[in-house]
Amino acid sequence: MGEPEAGSEFANRAAAGAEPMADTQYILPNDIGVSSLDCREAFRLLSPTERLYAHHLSRAAWYGGLAVLLQTSPEAPYIYALLSRLFRAQDPDQLRQHALAEGLTEDEYQAFLVYAAGVYSNMGNYKSFGDTKFVPNLPKEKLERVILGSEAARRHPEEVRGLWQTCGELMFSLEPRLRHLGLGTEGVTTYFSGNCTMEDAKLAQDFLDSQNLSAYNTRLFKEVDREGKARYDVRLASVLCAEPALDSEVTSKLKSYEFRGSHFQVTRGDYAPILQKVVEQLEKAKAYAANSHQEQMLAQYVESFTQGSVEAHKRGSRFWIQDKGPIVESYIGFIESYRDPFGSRGEFEGFVAMVNKAMSAKFERLVGSAEQLLKELPWPSAFEKDKFLTPDFTSLDVLTFAGSGIPAGINIPNYDDLRQTEGFKNVSLGNVLAVAYTTPREKLTFLEEDDKDLYLRWKGPSFDVQVGLHELLGHGSGKLFVQDEKGAFNFDQETVINPETGERIQSWYQSGETWDSKFSNIASSYEECRAESVGLYLCLHPQVLEIFGIEGADAEDVIYVNWLNMVRAGLLALEFYTPEVSSWRQAHMQARFVILRVLLEAGEGLVAVTPTTGSDGRPDARVRLDRSKIRSVGRPALERFLRRLQVLKSTGDVAGGRALYEGYAAVTDAPPECFLTLRDTVLLRKESRKLIVQPNTRLEGSEVQLLEYEASAAGLIRSFSERFPEDGPKLEEVLTQLATADARFWRGPSEATLGQA
C-alpha cells in the first residue's frame, strides 16, 4: 500500500473525530496510552542531602535535554518554543475554552494536546522509537486560528506569529524526505548539514579517527567553496567557544586540517548556553555528593562540557564506575548513537534515579553468577574479556530521564576502551518497566487466544529476566581484538583460532578504531541483536531463573513467554522498516526481526508466522512457537548465530558482519512469510508507544519538594510548563537563536526555508 502524499485528499480529510488527517503512521492517536512515573516512596526515603543532590542533577539533566531539540530537526526548537509560549500563557484547560470558541471540536483539541505532549516526550517532532515524523491530527488552518488568537499571541503578537511562520509548514509537512530521520536524500537529520551524504559521514569519521577525536559530542557542517572544494566544520559541544582558554587536550585540536583533498576545521561551542546551565547545576550538585568518587565524577563532567572533551567525560565515567551502589544514581552526557544516521554521534541524555533494594538484590545475585554464566556462552574463552570486571547492577526508580525517550534498562558507559579494561554498570529501570511495557488483553495483537493469558501473567517476570541478561551478560560480554598504537596485540596471534574458519585471526581493531566507528550504521542494531540473543540463550539455564525465584513449571512458562515475546516483537518490528529506501529506523526492532528470521530458518516447525483474517474482517496474523522445540531446535540455531555474531565483532570483520546481519535484516515478499505484505497488516494493527509523565523537583528554602502530575496529555504538558519556572522564556529564546544561526545549513531547493524567529 503506497503512503499518501501530504496534500492528497486522504491527508486533508476533515478530522471530524475518528477519521485521521494523515496516514496513521504519522500521527499520535487521541487514545494513546499515558502513564505517570511513580517514584514517591523512593524519593521519600532519601535524606535531605540526597534530595538536594538529586534535585541539582535533575536540573542539569532537564537543561541538557533541550539540546536534543537541536539534534533532531531544523524546526523542532521553534515548535518547542511555540508550544511552551502557548501553555505558559494558558494551561490546557484554559486554552481548551479558546479552542472550542475558535471552532475546534473536542477531538481536534485533544489531538493538539496529544501532539504537544508527543513533542515534549520525544524532545522534537520525530518519534524517538522509530525516527518517524508525527504531525498534528487536525486541520492546519484551525490550529493557526487557535495559536494566533491565543493569550500568548495577545501578549507577544510578533513573537508568536514569527514562530508560527517559521515552523507551521514544517510542522504539518509530510513531503517524502521529511517523513523519517536520515542522511542525504533518505531523511532529515541535524547531526549533519542538509547537503551531507553517507560518503561525507565516512570521510569525516576517517578524519576523526586520524586525529584520535571521538564523534560522540560532534556535529558536521559542510560548505562548498566557489572552486567546488568541500569545507567541513567539525563542531564540538562545549560551553567555551572561540575565546582563548588554558591549554587542554582539546585546544590543540582546534585548528584547520587538510585531509584527502578536503578542508576540515575543528571548532567548538555547540549548544554553549545550554551546556552552561548544565555545568552550573553540576557544580551545585557537587556540594551534596556522598563521596569523593561522585565529586571527582562531577568535576570531570564539568570539564567535559566546558571544554568539549570526550576524554574528560571518560575520566568522569571511570569515577562513576567506581562509585558502587550509590543511593542516588545518575549519568549524563552525549551517550547513545541510535539516532545518528551514521551511528557515531551521541544524543544528549541525563537520568537521576533511586535504588530499588528488593529487585537490586536479585540482580546482584545474577552478577555473582556472571563469571560462571559467561562460560556457557557459545564462543571460545579467547573471545571473552581477559577478566570479568564485576559491575554494579541495580534496579532503579527513575526520578528524571531527560532526552528523547526512556529505556527499560541501560548498560553504560559506551566507551569500548573503558568497557574492556575498567568495566561498566547495568541498571534496570523498575518504575519504567512497571508502566511502559504493559498491554491490556484486548490490545494484544498477533497471539493465539490460548497464549494470551499465559503471556499477560509472565510478561513482566520474563522481561525482568531478559533485561537482566541482555544488559549484564549481553552488552557485558565479549572481547574486541585490538592492536595498540605501539603495535602490541591484546590477544595471542599464534594460538587464537577463529572457530568459524579454523584459521588464525586475520583482522582486528587498530588504535583509535572503535566498534561504533568501524561498524557505523549497523553497530547499534548488531550489538542489540547480540545482547537479545544472549538473553534468550541464557534464560534456558536453570540457575538463571532460580536467581529470580522462578522454578519448576513456572520456569518453563517464563522461558516460553520470553521466546514468544521475542518472536512477536520480530513481527511488530516491521512497523519500523521503510520499504521505499529499504532501511530500518529502530535498532532494537531490527535486532528482533533478525532473531525472528534466525528462528524461522531453524525450521522443524519451531516458529510459524501465518496471515489470517481478524474477527473484524480485516487482515491479521498469528505467531506460533512450539515450546517443545525451544531447546532441541531453537537453542542450537541461536548458538550458531551468536557465535558468528561474536567472532565477527571480536575480529572487526566489517564485511563479514555486514553480510551476515544485513542478510537476515532484509525484508522481502518472498514466501512463505511475505514480510512486505505482513508489514501492511502490522501497520493496520499497530499500537502507539505510551507517553510517560515525569515529576519535577522544586527547591523551597532548603527543602526539595516532589511535584507530580496526572497521567494524561494535559498532565504531561503541565509538567513541562512548570519545568523551567525561573528561565523558561529565556531558554526558548536561546533555542531559537541557536537554531536560526544554523538554519542556512538546511535550506535547499527542495526544502522549506526556515525564517527568523
Side-chain angles (χ1 to χ4, degrees), residues 18-93:
E19 282 291 351
M21 285 294 296
D23 187 321
T24 55
Q25 284 187 79
Y26 306 111
I27 59 167
L28 302 178
N30 278 11
D31 64 351
I32 193 169
V34 186
S35 295
S36 290
L37 274 191
D38 179 11
C39 62
R40 189 182 313 160
E41 181 61 14
F43 185 79
R44 186 184 68 79
L45 294 172
L46 296 181
S47 71
T49 302
E50 288 162 352
R51 289 185 186 186
L52 284 161
Y53 183 64
H55 168 72
H56 289 297
L57 288 176
S58 291
R59 301 309 301 150
W62 286 126
Y63 280 123
L66 296 172
V68 176
L69 293 159
L70 295 157
Q71 294 181 301
T72 300
S73 70
E75 67 274 13
Y78 302 102
I79 296 173
Y80 173 90
L82 179 61
L83 294 174
S84 299
R85 293 283 199 253
L86 277 181
F87 291 113
R88 186 179 300 106
Q90 292 169 285
D91 76 16
D93 289 340

Side-chain angles (χ1 to χ4, degrees), residues 258-482:
E258 289 298 320
F259 183 78
R260 294 188 192 164
S262 293
H263 180 83
F264 279 83
Q265 178 85 27
V266 178
T267 63
R268 65 179 171 185
D270 217 0
Y271 327 118
I274 293 171
L275 291 176
Q276 177 63 46
K277 290 285 190 183
V278 175
V279 164
E280 287 168 7
Q281 293 297 326
L282 293 177
E283 290 283 13
K284 289 179 179 178
K286 231 193 299 184
Y288 306 105
N291 54 51
S292 64
H293 287 316
Q294 290 180 359
E295 288 173 10
Q296 292 175 92
M297 167 189 87
L298 293 174
Q300 291 297 332
Y301 291 165
V302 166
E303 171 80 0
S304 171
F305 299 141
T306 302
Q307 299 283 350
S309 168
V310 169
E311 289 303 314
H313 196 269
K314 283 186 183 179
R315 290 193 293 272
S317 298
R318 279 195 180 90
F319 290 119
W320 179 72
I321 293 165
Q322 292 162 18
D323 184 28
K324 303 282 189 187
I327 302 298
V328 177
E329 184 61 282
S330 69
Y331 198 60
I332 191 167
F334 296 90
I335 312 298
E336 301 292 354
S337 57
Y338 300 124
R339 298 181 93 194
D340 168 14
F342 188 71
S344 294
R345 287 153 191 79
E347 183 173 80
F348 194 96
E349 70 178 42
F351 78 85
V352 184
M354 292 82 65
V355 172
N356 176 322
K357 290 182 179 173
M359 194 64 191
S360 295
K362 293 179 182 177
F363 287 136
E364 281 306 311
R365 288 201 292 277
L366 186 64
V367 171
S369 305
E371 281 192 89
Q372 198 56 43
L373 291 169
L374 282 171
K375 295 173 185 171
E376 303 290 328
L377 291 172
W379 49 77
S381 59
F383 287 74
E384 195 45 71
K385 294 187 183 80
D386 301 333
K387 184 177 187 299
F388 180 69
L389 302 154
T390 306
D392 243 12
F393 197 159
T394 47
S395 177
L396 304 175
D397 285 341
V398 171
L399 170 65
T400 296
F401 206 113
S404 66
I406 312 179
I410 319 171
N411 174 289
I412 36 182
N414 286 331
Y415 305 119
D416 291 331
D417 46 351
L418 288 196
R419 297 171 64 79
Q420 298 281 321
T421 58
E422 310 272 339
F424 52 89
K425 280 188 183 181
N426 299 277
V427 296
S428 173
L429 304 178
N431 59 341
V432 177
L433 283 169
V435 296
Y437 297 90
T438 53
T439 310
R441 194 180 197 282
E442 64 273 12
K443 291 190 174 182
L444 258 187
T445 51
F446 309 130
L447 292 180
E448 297 284 9
E449 282 301 315
D450 54 3
D451 276 333
K452 287 184 178 179
D453 291 332
L454 199 65
Y455 182 92
L456 289 170
R457 180 179 177 193
W458 293 112
K459 167 78 185 300
S462 76
F463 206 58
D464 284 337
V465 171
Q466 180 68 11
V467 168
L469 294 171
H470 172 115
E471 300 296 349
L472 175 66
L473 296 159
H475 292 316
S477 65
K479 177 174 179 171
L480 302 184
F481 294 154
V482 179

Side-chain angles (χ1 to χ4, degrees), residues 374-386 477-479 481 495-503 505 639 642-644 646-648 650:
L374 282 171
K375 295 173 185 171
E376 303 290 328
L377 291 172
W379 49 77
S381 59
F383 287 74
E384 195 45 71
K385 294 187 183 80
D386 301 333
S477 65
K479 177 174 179 171
F481 294 154
T495 61
V496 178
I497 299 297
N498 182 327
E500 295 294 306
T501 64
E503 299 171 356
I505 304 304
E639 183 173 307
L642 247 181
R643 183 165 52 241
R644 292 176 74 191
Q646 182 56 51
V647 168
L648 293 164
S650 288

Side-chain angles (χ1 to χ4, degrees), residues 727-755:
D727 50 8
K730 177 63 181 168
L731 290 170
E732 290 140 31
E733 190 181 319
V734 161
L735 283 165
T736 55
Q737 285 171 350
L738 291 174
T740 301
D742 287 330
R744 63 194 171 90
F745 289 112
W746 292 283
R747 290 196 185 114
S750 65
E751 297 165 44
T753 300
L754 288 170

Side-chain angles (χ1 to χ4, degrees), residues 224-259:
V224 180
D225 64 21
R226 288 175 183 171
E227 285 76 50
K229 185 177 179 180
R231 305 175 69 84
Y232 298 95
D233 176 15
V234 174
R235 194 189 299 170
L236 311 181
S238 68
V239 175
L240 294 176
C241 300
E243 60 271 20
L246 293 172
D247 274 353
S248 75
E249 61 222 346
V250 176
T251 49
S252 64
K253 307 275 189 185
L254 301 173
K255 59 185 181 184
S256 297
Y257 303 79
E258 289 298 320
F259 183 78

